[in-house]
Each structure stands twice: as C-alpha cells, then as structure tokens.
Amino acid sequence: MESSSATAGVSTRREATRQKLYEAAVTLIAEQGFSATTVDEIAERAGVAKGTVYYNFASKSVLFEELLRHGVGLLTASLREAAESTARAGGGKVDALDAMIRAGLVFIDRYPAFTQLYVAELWRTNRAWQSTLMVVRQQAVAVVEGVLRDGVENGEFSDEIDVPLTASALVGMVLVAALDWQSFQPERSLDDVHAALSRLLQGRVSGRKG
C-alpha cells in the first residue's frame, strides 16, 4: 500500500512538471515561434532545470508533439463530455452539437495560446509532427462526426449531409470564430459568441428557422 502511494505521488509530481513545461512551451512558442524558442527558455519559464525538460521529453520537437497531443486531447474530451451530458439530459443531436460548440468556445477561451498554435500548425506541411497532428485532429472531428451520423440515422438530420465535411466545417467554424472574437472583438462575451454560432447551427445544420 505504501509503495503504491509513493508511486502515485511520483506520477502526480511528474504530471505536474509536464504541465508546467506544456504551459511554458506553448506561451513561448506563441510569442516567438518554434524555431526561436530554446529548451533553456522553456526550462526557465517553467521554473525547472534544463535537465528536467530532457528527463520528461527527448527533445524540443518531442515536447511540442506531446503538447499537441495533450491539448487536442483535452479539447476532444470536452467535446465528448458535452455530447454525453446532453444525451443524459434527454437532448437531441442538435442540442448536442450546440453544447459542443459552447464547450469548444470555453476551451479556446481558457487556452488561447494553444489554439493559436494549433491552427497555425494545421497549415504547415514540413513539420516532423505533421502525422501526429492529423491523427489528433481527426480524434476531435470524429466526436462531431459521431453525433452527426446518429442524427442522420434517427432522422433529425437530412441524409444528404456530408458527415465528414460538415464535422470539419463545424470544428473549423468554432476555431476561426473564437480566434476572431479574441483578436478583433474581445468586448463580446462568450455567451454572445455562442449565441451567434448557435443561430448559425440551427439554420444551417438542423434546417430550423429562427
């Protein structure tokens, strides 16, 4: 029992250290770019020794790749939880998509630097982690695809919907709208932005008016 507790404590401390490194890396890379950011700077920003970075990650590239996995994993989990919570409450598939839009906005509002990096990296083709980025992107989009497919099967959505493209469009809509909100319309509230996207969803995906 004591050994198990000690192991759990080490695991918790290591996870806390990795979280510090993720936060330091994402902030620095958002400020000055990947190439210009050094491991020394990441360690200093995180408040750890340089060796600690290499203890947790083999290189700066590996750190950034794991950062992408970690961040998109959090986004995917929040989208899935929004859909599942809606289902438990008896809501329909449009309600689930609406809840996922809000969950996405909440995530982006909480992690704006990560979101900016993620969107920027989606358009690059010469990165070592490109294949990883495509995999984790698909994990997030797949959650939306699942809700759309269920909606088509139960008749809530038209069977003419292109599920993969619509799912990608919805995720992209939230990402771009949220970044535009934070960069150019910061006076708007999260509720205001969600309401605007919700109206778009109701009219374009569900076919409802109003």
Side-chain angles (χ1 to χ4, degrees):
M1 183 72 71
E2 290 181 0
S3 177
S4 177
S5 297
T7 300
V10 170
S11 178
T12 299
R13 287 194 296 275
R14 185 177 186 188
E15 187 55 39
T17 298
R18 289 169 73 93
Q19 185 63 39
K20 286 181 181 179
L21 292 171
Y22 287 143
E23 292 174 358
V26 75
T27 302
L28 285 166
I29 295 170
E31 289 174 354
Q32 57 194 32
F34 177 80
S35 297
T37 300
T38 67
V39 172
D40 286 319
E41 290 174 320
I42 293 172
E44 182 179 359
R45 181 69 65 94
V48 301
K50 182 177 180 179
T52 301
V53 180
Y54 289 114
Y55 175 76
N56 286 274
F57 305 99
S59 66
K60 185 177 68 170
S61 291
V62 171
L63 167 56
F64 190 61
E65 185 172 349
E66 289 303 311
L67 169 62
L68 291 172
R69 287 183 184 275
H70 176 71
V72 179
L74 291 176
L75 173 59
T76 301
S78 67
L79 296 177
R80 184 178 293 112
E81 174 56 28
E84 292 175 351
S85 294
T86 302
R88 289 194 296 269
K93 299 308 175 184
V94 173
D95 299 315
L97 291 175
D98 189 55
M100 294 165 85
I101 286 175
R102 184 172 187 86
L105 291 173
V106 169
F107 175 88
I108 295 166
D109 188 44
R110 183 176 181 183
Y111 303 108
F114 172 79
T115 306
Q116 291 169 10
L117 279 182
Y118 171 67
V119 172
E121 290 301 317
L122 282 175
W123 296 101
R124 299 181 188 275
T125 58
N126 60 341
R127 298 297 206 190
W129 50 79
Q130 190 67 25
S131 60
T132 296
L133 185 59
M134 292 300 99
V135 169
V136 296
R137 170 199 168 277
Q138 185 54 37
Q139 289 173 352
V141 173
V143 179
V144 183
E145 287 184 1
V147 172
L148 287 169
R149 287 198 177 92
D150 289 344
V152 170
E153 290 177 3
N154 68 19
E156 192 169 349
F157 302 144
S158 168
D159 58 9
E160 295 180 356
I161 286 180
D162 184 321
V163 171
L165 187 58
T166 301
S168 295
L170 286 171
V171 172
M173 175 185 73
V174 174
L175 288 172
V176 174
L179 290 178
D180 184 87
W181 159 42
Q182 294 183 334
S183 298
F184 304 111
Q185 306 179 65
E187 72 282 359
R188 287 179 176 269
S189 67
L190 190 150
D191 288 339
D192 188 23
V193 177
H194 174 225
L197 297 186
S198 181
R199 284 191 291 272
L200 184 61
L201 169 72
Q202 300 289 348
R204 297 297 183 234
V205 175
S206 72
R208 297 176 186 173
K209 296 181 179 179

